[in-house]
Coordinates of all heavy atoms in Angstrom, one line a residue:
Chain A
L559 N -10.9 -15.0 25.9 CA -12.4 -15.4 26.1 C -13.2 -14.3 26.2 O -14.2 -14.1 25.6 CB -12.5 -16.5 27.3 CG -13.7 -17.3 27.4 CD1 -13.9 -18.1 26.1 CD2 -13.6 -18.1 28.6
K574 N 1.3 -20.6 12.3 CA 1.4 -22.0 12.8 C 1.5 -22.2 14.2 O 1.0 -23.2 14.8 CB 2.8 -22.6 12.1 CG 2.5 -22.8 10.6 CD 3.8 -23.5 10.0 CE 3.9 -23.4 8.5 NZ 2.9 -24.2 7.8
A575 N 2.2 -21.3 14.9 CA 2.4 -21.4 16.3 C 1.1 -20.9 17.1 O 0.8 -21.4 18.3 CB 3.6 -20.7 16.8
Q576 N 0.4 -19.9 16.5 CA -0.7 -19.3 17.4 C -2.0 -19.3 16.6 O -3.1 -19.2 17.3 CB -0.3 -17.8 17.6 CG 1.0 -17.5 18.2 CD 1.3 -16.1 18.2 OE1 1.5 -15.5 17.3 NE2 1.4 -15.5 19.5
L578 N -3.4 -21.6 14.1 CA -4.1 -22.9 13.8 C -3.6 -24.1 14.6 O -2.4 -24.1 15.1 CB -3.8 -23.2 12.3 CG -4.4 -22.3 11.3 CD1 -3.9 -22.6 9.8 CD2 -5.9 -22.3 11.3
G600 N -23.7 -29.0 25.4 CA -22.3 -29.5 25.4 C -22.1 -30.4 24.2 O -20.9 -30.7 24.0
V602 N -21.7 -30.9 20.3 CA -21.6 -30.1 19.1 C -22.5 -30.6 17.9 O -22.5 -31.9 17.7 CB -20.1 -30.2 18.6 CG1 -19.9 -29.3 17.4 CG2 -19.1 -29.8 19.7
E607 N -21.9 -27.4 12.3 CA -20.5 -27.2 12.2 C -20.0 -27.3 10.8 O -19.3 -26.5 10.3 CB -19.7 -28.1 13.2 CG -18.3 -27.8 13.3 CD -17.4 -28.8 14.0 OE1 -18.0 -30.0 14.3 OE2 -16.3 -28.6 14.3
R627 N -9.8 -31.9 5.6 CA -8.3 -32.0 5.6 C -7.7 -31.3 6.8 O -8.2 -30.2 7.2 CB -7.8 -31.3 4.3 CG -7.7 -32.0 3.1 CD -7.3 -31.2 2.0 NE -5.8 -31.0 2.1 CZ -5.0 -31.1 1.0 NH1 -5.5 -31.5 -0.1 NH2 -3.7 -30.9 1.2
K644 N -11.8 -18.3 10.6 CA -12.0 -18.5 12.0 C -12.4 -17.3 12.8 O -13.3 -17.2 13.7 CB -10.8 -19.2 12.7 CG -10.7 -19.5 14.1 CD -9.4 -20.2 14.4 CE -8.7 -19.6 15.5 NZ -7.5 -20.3 15.9
Chain B
W302 N -9.6 -38.5 0.3 CA -8.7 -37.9 1.3 C -9.2 -38.3 2.7 O -8.5 -38.7 3.5 CB -8.6 -36.4 1.1 CG -7.7 -35.8 2.2 CD1 -8.0 -35.3 3.3 CD2 -6.3 -35.8 2.2 NE1 -6.9 -34.9 4.0 CE2 -5.8 -35.3 3.3 CE3 -5.3 -36.4 1.3 CZ2 -4.5 -35.2 3.7 CZ3 -4.0 -36.2 1.6 CH2 -3.5 -35.6 2.7
Y481 N -18.1 -36.2 20.4 CA -19.3 -35.4 20.1 C -19.4 -34.1 21.0 O -20.2 -33.3 20.6 CB -20.6 -36.3 20.3 CG -20.6 -37.4 19.3 CD1 -20.4 -38.8 19.8 CD2 -20.9 -37.2 18.0 CE1 -20.4 -39.7 18.9 CE2 -21.0 -38.2 17.1 CZ -20.8 -39.5 17.5 OH -20.8 -40.5 16.7
T482 N -18.7 -34.0 22.0 CA -18.8 -32.8 22.9 C -17.8 -31.7 22.6 O -16.7 -31.9 22.1 CB -18.7 -33.2 24.3 OG1 -17.4 -33.5 24.6 CG2 -19.7 -34.4 24.7
A483 N -18.2 -30.5 23.0 CA -17.3 -29.4 22.9 C -16.0 -29.5 23.8 O -14.9 -29.3 23.3 CB -18.0 -28.0 23.3
R486 N -13.5 -31.7 22.0 CA -12.9 -30.9 21.1 C -11.8 -30.1 21.7 O -10.7 -29.9 21.1 CB -13.8 -30.1 20.3 CG -13.1 -29.4 19.1 CD -12.8 -30.4 17.9 NE -14.0 -31.1 17.4 CZ -14.9 -30.6 16.7 NH1 -14.8 -29.3 16.2 NH2 -16.0 -31.3 16.3
N494 N -2.3 -27.7 20.1 CA -1.6 -26.3 20.1 C -2.2 -25.5 21.2 O -3.3 -24.8 21.0 CB -1.6 -25.7 18.8 CG -0.8 -24.4 18.7 OD1 -0.5 -23.8 19.8 ND2 -0.5 -23.9 17.5
A497 N -2.7 -21.7 20.4 CA -3.7 -21.4 19.5 C -5.1 -21.6 20.1 O -6.0 -20.9 19.9 CB -3.6 -22.2 18.2
R499 N -5.9 -21.2 23.3 CA -6.1 -20.1 24.1 C -6.6 -18.9 23.4 O -7.5 -18.2 23.7 CB -4.8 -19.8 24.9 CG -5.0 -18.9 26.1 CD -3.9 -19.0 27.0 NE -2.7 -18.4 26.3 CZ -2.2 -17.1 26.6 NH1 -2.7 -16.4 27.5 NH2 -1.1 -16.8 26.0
L500 N -5.9 -18.7 22.2 CA -6.3 -17.5 21.4 C -7.6 -17.7 20.7 O -8.1 -16.8 20.1 CB -5.2 -17.2 20.3 CG -3.8 -16.9 20.9 CD1 -2.8 -16.5 19.7 CD2 -3.9 -15.7 21.8
S501 N -8.1 -18.9 20.7 CA -9.5 -19.1 20.1 C -10.5 -19.1 21.2 O -11.6 -19.5 20.9 CB -9.5 -20.5 19.4 OG -8.5 -20.6 18.4
G502 N -10.2 -18.7 22.4 CA -11.1 -18.6 23.5 C -11.5 -19.9 24.1 O -12.5 -20.0 24.9

Side-chain angles (χ1 to χ4, degrees):
Chain A
L559 195 58
K574 289 185 197 289
Q576 306 171 297
L578 291 173
V602 182
E607 191 191 8
R627 275 175 75 131
K644 175 173 130 177
Chain B
W302 182 262
Y481 296 107
T482 69
R486 187 69 62 74
N494 184 342
R499 196 164 64 103
L500 297 183
S501 302

